[in-house]
Amino acid sequence: MSTTLQNATPEHAHVFLARESFIGELKSLDRHYPKTGFGVSLHTHSGEHYLLANAKMPLPGKKSDGFPTGRRVACLENGKRFRSIEVLADTHEDEAFNPRTEAEMLSDVLELIAQIEGPSGLPAGRRSTQHHVASVATGTGG
């Protein structure tokens, strides 16, 4: 285990591991949806907020503002490692998806959330008895 990870608080370690564990998943999304920006908003149980995104997702001026564009594709609330994980997609108006592509994107994003929520064998932070996944079909609007 790296020194950085050993010195991190448990929640910071979860964020680090989440970022490392889903880089491949984010690259896969880039290959499947080459014109789409993807952003991940992570809220820890202690109230920390982290934003992670691919190069096509516009970033906010201030982290507290959240991503300036994009629509929610899926959200997990009350997870074991994170209070919430929200994935947003930012598509260009000329990129209309058919229902099959929409369903594939939703499936891929849910896989991404699974990668983030369970990145390793490390013990989870605060455990919650509630585990709620809200998934929203992406539609074509931005």
Side-chain angles (χ1 to χ4, degrees):
M1 188 178 290
S2 74
T3 305
T4 303
L5 191 54
Q6 288 173 341
N7 294 332
T9 66
E11 284 190 333
H12 286 115
H14 294 314
V15 171
F16 175 79
L17 288 171
R19 183 176 20 213
E20 294 302 309
S21 72
F22 79 80
I23 286 175
E25 213 42 58
L26 201 52
K27 287 180 182 178
S28 177
L29 287 173
D30 279 342
R31 283 191 303 276
H32 287 104
Y33 314 99
K35 295 181 180 178
T36 304
F38 288 96
V40 180
S41 177
L42 302 170
H43 288 270
T44 66
H45 290 287
S46 66
E48 296 288 325
H49 184 207
Y50 298 90
L51 298 175
L52 309 166
N54 68 358
K56 296 171 205 93
M57 184 63 154
L59 298 175
K62 294 187 306 184
K63 178 174 56 172
S64 61
D65 293 340
F67 291 106
T69 60
R71 64 188 181 281
R72 180 189 290 183
V73 177
C75 181
L76 175 128
E77 295 179 357
N78 298 318
K80 294 176 184 176
R81 299 187 189 285
F82 295 97
R83 183 172 49 91
S84 70
I85 302 170
E86 182 180 33
V87 179
L88 293 101
D90 184 45
T91 58
H92 298 286
E93 289 182 22
D94 63 335
E95 186 178 14
F97 291 126
N98 64 45
R100 179 185 206 123
T101 304
E102 295 281 344
E104 289 171 2
M105 181 186 285
L106 179 58
S107 176
D108 291 343
V109 167
L110 290 174
E111 181 64 31
L112 173 65
I113 288 175
Q115 289 287 327
I116 294 169
E117 181 61 13
S120 75
L122 283 179
R126 189 179 104 195
R127 293 195 180 264
S128 173
T129 57
Q130 290 183 326
H131 191 78
H132 177 71
V133 175
S135 49
V136 180
T138 58
T140 57

